[in-house]
Amino acid sequence: MTALSISEPGRDCPLCPRLHEFIAEWRQREPSWFNAPVPTFLPPDGDDAVRLLIVGLAPGLRGANRTGRPFTGDYAGDLLYSTLISHGFARGEFKARPDDGLELVGTAITNAVRCVPPENKPVGAEIATCRTFLVPTIARFPNLRAVLALGSIAHQSTVRALGGRVAAYPFKHGGQLPAGGITLFSSYHCSRYNTNTGVLTEAMFVSVFSQIAAFLQE
């Protein structure tokens, strides 16, 4: 079994019944949508090129669940990909669709939970179950140096995937901690809710990527 086959759930993954049923419902309602576990977005140079892995929470219903690419089709992607491009972690133009030609540079993007959850809220058992894919996802990149977790749930699941105790790695925006042989960075999630309420500003988000870029140049 290859690293790819164990790090990506199958299209009809049944491990989380609630999520499986939710996707089945949306396949009937919107048959043209992707409506499946969203795979990790990779750079064209493949696994060996990845030095930074970004871990989000879960696909958005009308975002990645519709388009099949992480953070594509909703506001969170607008902020994420513009920031990636400005820091050299992506190239091209982001047009919020998977055929826009945008390419990642030394970076991969995945989610702690690969299937869209109702109301964008996965439950604890679903997060734990999907960690069986997050662990080998992290392991598939031999030159990985940094992981950026977006939001506290992604942060906690990543800590556990790296073999750490959550209490020893508290979530903090702008956090930078060594964990499991890599360095774990943390940011508030770039959701529209967080930016609209002022929890996260564009400057705050950009500063995290500046921090990561400086780290990767060391």
Side-chain angles (χ1 to χ4, degrees):
M1 186 173 288
T2 66
L4 175 61
S5 65
I6 60 175
S7 65
E8 299 294 345
R11 179 169 176 82
D12 295 308
C13 179
L15 296 180
C16 299
R18 187 180 75 115
L19 304 188
H20 184 68
E21 292 170 7
F22 189 60
I23 284 178
E25 173 189 332
W26 278 94
R27 284 180 180 176
Q28 291 186 333
R29 294 172 67 170
E30 297 288 352
S32 65
W33 288 9
F34 185 75
N35 285 321
V38 175
T40 303
F41 184 21
L42 300 168
D45 296 337
D47 291 3
D48 288 357
V50 175
R51 300 170 72 216
L52 168 65
L53 174 65
I54 298 170
V55 182
L57 172 57
L61 178 61
R62 291 174 173 79
N65 178 67
R66 175 175 61 85
T67 64
R69 191 176 74 180
F71 291 91
T72 300
D74 54 25
Y75 171 79
D78 295 344
L79 179 55
L80 175 61
Y81 286 111
S82 66
T83 306
L84 287 172
I85 291 169
S86 68
H87 285 78
F89 293 117
R91 58 178 169 245
E93 185 178 357
F94 176 67
K95 297 180 180 178
R97 63 176 195 265
D99 62 350
D100 56 14
L102 180 133
E103 295 181 342
L104 297 177
V105 179
T107 303
I109 304 175
T110 196
N111 280 304
V113 176
R114 305 296 173 87
C115 293
V116 58
E119 300 179 357
N120 202 34
K121 295 178 181 178
V123 300
E126 293 161 352
I127 298 165
T129 296
C130 213
R131 201 154 47 245
T132 61
F133 300 107
L134 181 58
V135 171
T137 295
I138 294 171
R140 70 185 280 186
F141 304 120
N143 298 309
L144 186 66
R145 291 193 60 207
V147 175
L148 170 61
L150 300 178
S152 61
I153 293 176
H155 171 87
Q156 291 170 9
S157 194
T158 301
V159 167
R160 291 188 171 104
L162 292 169
R165 293 185 306 109
V166 169
Y169 298 89
F171 173 78
K172 175 187 176 185
H173 178 79
Q176 178 178 343
L177 294 167
I182 57 93
T183 297
L184 176 60
F185 293 83
S186 301
S187 170
Y188 291 127
H189 195 284
C190 49
S191 66
R192 182 182 292 275
Y193 177 82
N194 280 347
T195 55
N196 282 352
T197 58
V199 170
L200 178 70
T201 65
E202 183 175 346
M204 289 168 63
F205 197 60
V206 167
S207 71
V208 171
F209 279 90
S210 297
Q211 186 181 350
I212 293 170
F215 168 78
L216 291 176
Q217 290 173 359
E218 292 175 359

